[in-house]
Amino acid sequence: MTSNPPAQIRRLLVANRGEIARRVLRTCRRLGISTVAVHSDADAGAPHVGEADLAVRLPGDAAADTYLRGDLVVAAARATGADAVHPGYGFLSENAEFARAVLDAGLTWVGPPPEVIEAMGSKVTAKRMMAEAGVPVLGELDPVEVTEADLPVLVKASAGGGGRGMRVVRALAELPSEIESASAEALSAFGDATVFCEPYLESGRHIEVQVMADVHGAVWAVGERECSIQRRHQKVVEETPSPLVDEGMRERLFDAARAAAKAVSYVGAGTVEFLATGDGRFFFLEMNTRLQVEHPVTECVTGIDLVASQLAVAEGQRLPGEPPPPRGHAVEVRLYAEDPAEDWRPQSGTLHRFELSDVDAEFGVPGTAGVRLDGGVLSGSHVGVHYDPMLAKVVSWAPTRAQAVRRLSDSLTRARIHGLKTNRDLLVRVLEHPAFRAGDTDTSFFDTHGLAELSRPLADERTEALSALAAALAEAAANRRDTTVAPGLPSGWRNVVSVPQTKRFAGPSGPHEVGYRLDRDGLRAEGFDGVALVRAEPERVVLEEAGVRRTFRIARYGTRVEVDSVSGPVALTRCERFPDPSADVPAGSLVAPMPGTVTRVAVTEGQRVSAGEPLLWMEAMKMEHRITAPADGTVGELPVSAGQQVEMGAVLAVVRTE
């Protein structure tokens, strides 16, 4: 912030993309502030670009060439006549040099002073300052001095967050390689390879406090959030208030958060993060000098527009008295394009359909309890490989925690999300898990309750089989609708007994061969005795079994068929009758799960390897991915090298077994 309060903001540039850019744009529109978006070439058609008044291209695709280029962002602000910059989160939001560049250009910086960002940007420095301010901290460990007695430890990047550059180490022999890997990831993500170690609490709970401070010395502790359920040290489910925190612990948390903010003369919105134990003790982790991804849950229970508060503080206004008291309970989930069952593998491609039909508000607080959607994508959006794979945040707000959880689970179950594998089924299973319902969550939730079980599809094998039958009948109905020959006859109808119509699909649990006949007695489908056809339309099929009717909604995209029902979504692939043999790859081939860059290669051709042994590493979607040997064998082919860019499906290595 500048020492003299700036003039009223007239035009604001949002130095970000996706849902957070859309979130800031929405508040600016409500306040009458003109807006500017920036975009990479990959984001030229992204929703946030079309929603801003003005947009400026940042040439290139990679974040390092676009959203991380502070000079280009400042130039864009000048070129469009913007007088303020909001950084969102991620990218340059916690870059002190960027904040200085914005201020040096005579623009208003919507964030804390650069000196504060700098101090809190180093986790090592931040922990020392908090200790001096009387805030409880975990001891720092020098990586070269870690002993067996210190294990397990957490290797952390000093300059970043979001789970990048973090590794849990339980064996001393693994420490050097994990430090090297974390350092490389930190350098790529934040431009700083510095890492440190601290004791790792196996079953800690992640509790954070939202703070807001103005230039006149007022500091609010707005509320706490629980963010314990995490994958790869990134939050997946967040809620407020925390089931762990009672009034006494809340008071101590708020006191510590205010002390942390005052110790660095904080200004604007920020978050003080703590690691808590089941007995109510807590330790400072870090202070995020920006708006958090999970800020909507706080907005729902308090009614505060945190972005509007940020802008008011940036204009030099005073915070009005005390923050409003909380109302009810809010739960947020992060919907990612990823496959949790495959080591959280990110997905890329076209999101053909993205529909949540029961949304009560977008990027704002519902008028009454309900569902809020903060989405970065729309139906038809392309999810690329250059950025984080989060699609949206879905939030439920209700008078009680149980009501909020139930409403959110139902909303996710009914959502129609087509084209990409997502973590939707896992989110529903987490929300419906007895431990979560009881508020018994910690950072090892997935390890404790089994990722394989939690990532299991919502649709069981019977639902999948019925979905395949519904897909076959819907396709037949579409064929009859589009035909010009005897259009009045039912599809596949025969006057006498004949060979069944056959359609083949590949599903999550395996192949499905659907053989059926439609005659004067109705539907006869092999393996579906007792299943009657009530209605078959190109996009809707109703089946009845044992007196129960089920409705299936079908959508087709080339060979991909998406079937939705209350029993769970099913994605099928229609099998070609004559597949192309050239699509085969050699046995034992390890193929690229997505487009990316090979960063390191650990083996050579002819080398003996053991199952699970790392062969190489890829970087894609802001994360490093380890490619391991599927079984004991010999590296027969190794067609890639470090630094090489590869397309999805490219052969990375071939491991030949005995």
Side-chain angles (χ1 to χ4, degrees), residues 11 29 47 87 149 187 191 228 261 322 325 356 385 425 451 536 544 546 635:
R11 176 170 292 167
R29 189 177 306 120
L187 180 63
S228 295
E322 294 295 320
L356 280 83
V385 300
D425 290 13
L451 179 59
E544 183 174 303
V635 179

Side-chain angles (χ1 to χ4, degrees), residues 172-196:
L172 202 58
E174 298 174 0
L175 185 60
S177 63
E178 294 292 12
I179 287 176
E180 179 185 359
S181 180
S183 181
E185 190 170 87
L187 180 63
S188 173
F190 314 116
D192 185 343
T194 305
V195 298
F196 68 98

Side-chain angles (χ1 to χ4, degrees), residues 102-113:
V102 170
L103 294 171
D104 290 345
L107 308 173
T108 297
W109 168 248
V110 184

Side-chain angles (χ1 to χ4, degrees), residues 237-255:
V237 183
E238 303 106 352
E239 61 180 307
T240 186
S242 164
L244 173 69
V245 178
D246 57 23
E247 284 304 317
M249 184 179 178
R250 181 170 294 113
E251 185 176 347
R252 291 185 289 114
L253 278 166
F254 285 10
D255 286 344

Side-chain angles (χ1 to χ4, degrees), residues 302-344:
T302 63
I304 298 173
D305 183 330
L306 290 172
V307 173
S309 296
Q310 283 185 293
L311 298 174
V313 166
E315 291 178 335
Q317 298 180 36
R318 291 180 180 273
L319 291 173
E322 294 295 320
R327 307 163 298 163
H329 199 101
V331 185
E332 171 184 297
V333 294
R334 302 189 190 187
L335 186 65
Y336 284 97
E338 66 182 10
D339 188 349
E342 293 293 330
D343 195 27
W344 310 99

Side-chain angles (χ1 to χ4, degrees), residues 237-241 297 300-301 327-333 358 369-372 394-412 431 436-437:
V237 183
E238 303 106 352
E239 61 180 307
T240 186
V297 294
C300 285
V301 300
R327 307 163 298 163
H329 199 101
V331 185
E332 171 184 297
V333 294
D358 57 350
V371 174
R372 165 177 171 170
V394 189
V395 190
S396 177
W397 171 46
T400 69
R401 184 177 188 268
Q403 291 171 332
V405 171
R406 182 173 61 190
R407 178 70 188 275
L408 183 55
S409 175
D410 183 68
S411 180
L412 289 168
L431 294 171
F436 181 83
R437 292 289 178 102

